[in-house]
Amino acid sequence: ALKEQRLKGARTDMLLVEETPGAGLPPVAPPAGSAAAGSAPPAYLIVDVTVNDPEIFSQYAAGSPGSIASAGGHYVSRGGPFEVVEGTWQPGRLVLVEFPSWDVLRGWYYGDVYQALARLRQSCTRTDMVAVEGHAG
């Protein structure tokens, strides 16, 4: 019943995403003091990436996990299975990353280390990326 009400007033794309460890990498536990441990709300990076040049992308993929971990972030899902349950969004490779806070995510994304990696990724992919602050309560 709530879905019917929502569809009358909003356009929605909704997916189910399975939590997955990333491509042979062990899952990284949220750092102590992170949002998952009960402090400030977490922040999430939602990425839809279509790889156009796998060879160049492999260089990005080699540096990205360490960059994320160095900022206290961890993969929630990294290219795992998903199911479109509403709407028309058809992601290529869907990635979900959790960071301890909004400020940490933004500091990581706009920092020199990740911006160098971002330029590499941008040269070999089509990417849609959204950062969103988590809910505190």
Side-chain angles (χ1 to χ4, degrees), residues 16-118:
L16 301 178
V17 180
E18 181 176 340
E19 182 175 356
T20 57
L25 298 172
V28 178
S34 74
S39 60
Y44 297 93
L45 189 67
I46 304 165
V47 185
D48 172 7
V49 61
T50 300
V51 177
N52 298 320
D53 187 329
E55 187 174 323
I56 294 174
F57 186 76
S58 69
Q59 297 170 38
Y60 168 79
S64 182
S67 168
I68 289 168
S70 72
H74 68 278
Y75 289 100
V76 175
S77 183
R78 188 176 184 205
F82 65 88
E83 175 184 352
V84 177
V85 294
E86 288 188 31
T88 59
W89 184 24
Q90 293 293 320
R93 174 183 167 86
L94 192 62
V95 179
L96 178 60
V97 183
E98 180 180 3
F99 287 87
S101 71
W102 178 254
D103 290 339
V104 170
L105 186 156
R106 289 178 51 80
W108 166 81
Y109 180 82
Y110 292 109
D112 293 341
V113 172
Y114 185 70
Q115 282 302 299
L117 286 167

Side-chain angles (χ1 to χ4, degrees), residues 109-132:
Y109 180 82
Y110 292 109
D112 293 341
V113 172
Y114 185 70
Q115 282 302 299
L117 286 167
R119 285 189 292 278
L120 184 62
R121 176 185 43 77
Q122 292 162 353
S123 76
C124 65
T125 68
R126 184 211 44 85
T127 304
D128 292 310
M129 187 179 298
V130 171
V132 61

